[in-house]
Amino acid sequence: MADEEERAPLLGHPTVNAEPPPTYSQTFNEQTGGFHQPPGPYPQSVTVPPIGPDELPPPYTPPGASLSINCKVCQNIVPIDGKQNQNVVKCNFCNEATPIRAPPPGKKYVRCPCNCLLICRATAVKIACPRANCKRIITLGGSGGLANVIVRPPNTNRVQCVHCGEVFLFALQSTALARCTCCRRVSSVDPSYIRMRVGMYLLLGLIFLGAGVGVTVGTMELAARSGGIYTVWIGAFVIGVLFLIRALFVGSIRTSTVLGPA
């Protein structure tokens, strides 16, 4: 029996000094190269603000991707690489401009119905489209208001006032007397119109004066018996004199210079 107990370790039976079997953590470290999750709560709580229904995620540009925006007229993609310092960019498809930055201080953007992008003073009330095939006059509303577009009447011309020298717009239609929008004084834009009016008023004045003289001479004896004849005399002379005064006034109107169509 003593020999059997001494041979027991040689046969592989366990003894008191034998090493314990490897644990799960040791086996996991050997397989993963030493990475081991320490014991404890797995997720750590983090407080973040809620996302609003209208809040968009921040813009993301992948590395190597080109910057671009959508054209405000045709909605095509317009690249803006290297143009970040410009205020506007031009679309290669519709050839219209689209702003990419805020306007300069004291300025604002206005888009005409013909899709022309205009920049004007922030306090401007009326602006004119410079395109030759448009020439609309745009009345700007207040902050947040819409712009009202006024189409120019036909035969609209640029006129230089003979009194103050400012240029204003005037439609050559039925009259040739224009009032300057700056000094509010009246001038003529057609010398032939003035000559025709002066001749007409002179002729009417002379006709009424001649009629007054004829009535006065012909009804001299009748006026002695009827006092109402004097009213006819006075009326004829007054109308004749008024026509002559009108002829002098129209003849004194100065003529402004028509620069050409607006």
Side-chain angles (χ1 to χ4, degrees):
M1 292 296 291
D3 294 337
E4 293 179 359
E5 291 179 358
E6 292 178 357
R7 289 194 298 267
L10 300 176
L11 297 176
H13 293 284
T15 61
V16 179
N17 296 328
E19 295 182 359
T23 62
Y24 172 78
S25 60
Q26 293 176 354
T27 306
F28 183 82
N29 290 339
E30 294 176 357
Q31 294 177 356
T32 59
F35 175 78
H36 176 61
Q37 177 71 26
Y42 177 71
Q44 296 181 358
S45 61
V46 179
T47 303
V48 295
I51 298 178
D54 298 332
E55 185 177 354
L56 298 177
Y60 171 72
T61 302
S66 61
L67 298 176
S68 62
I69 62 170
N70 290 334
C71 176
K72 297 300 182 181
V73 177
C74 64
Q75 302 303 319
N76 278 293
I77 301 299
V78 181
I80 59 174
D81 285 334
K83 302 177 182 179
Q84 289 85 350
N85 295 329
Q86 300 180 9
N87 289 332
V88 297
V89 292
K90 186 177 181 181
C91 177
N92 296 326
F93 184 79
C94 63
N95 294 326
E96 298 294 347
T98 297
I100 60 175
R101 297 181 61 187
K107 302 290 185 179
K108 63 180 177 181
Y109 295 121
V110 177
R111 191 174 292 278
C112 181
C114 69
N115 293 326
C116 179
L117 183 66
L118 308 174
I119 183 171
C120 63
R121 297 193 309 271
T123 57
V125 178
K126 289 185 178 181
I127 59 175
C129 180
R131 287 186 173 174
N133 58 350
C134 180
K135 298 298 183 180
R136 289 183 175 94
I137 296 180
I138 304 173
T139 303
L140 304 178
S143 58
L146 298 177
N148 299 323
V149 179
I150 301 176
V151 181
R152 292 178 180 173
N155 299 327
T156 300
N157 288 263
R158 294 183 298 114
V159 180
Q160 185 177 13
C161 180
V162 69
H163 300 287
C164 64
E166 293 293 332
V167 177
F168 62 96
L169 300 178
F170 179 73
L172 301 177
Q173 294 178 342
S174 59
T175 179
L177 297 178
R179 184 179 296 276
C180 178
T181 57
C182 181
C183 64
R184 309 300 299 173
R185 300 180 67 178
V186 177
S187 60
S188 172
V189 294
D190 187 4
S192 61
Y193 173 85
I194 296 297
R195 290 194 297 267
M196 183 182 65
R197 290 288 176 173
V198 170
M200 182 183 66
Y201 289 138
L202 283 176
L203 180 61
L204 290 175
L206 294 177
I207 289 176
F208 275 94
L209 287 179
V213 172
V215 171
T216 301
V217 175
T219 58
M220 187 71 69
E221 297 179 356
L222 184 61
R225 297 190 299 271
S226 177
I229 302 298
Y230 295 106
T231 305
V232 179
W233 296 356
I234 296 173
F237 285 114
V238 168
I239 293 175
V241 171
L242 291 178
F243 275 122
L244 293 178
I245 294 175
R246 182 65 178 175
L248 293 176
F249 171 75
V250 174
S252 64
I253 295 177
R254 302 173 65 183
T255 302
S256 295
T257 303
V258 179
L259 300 178

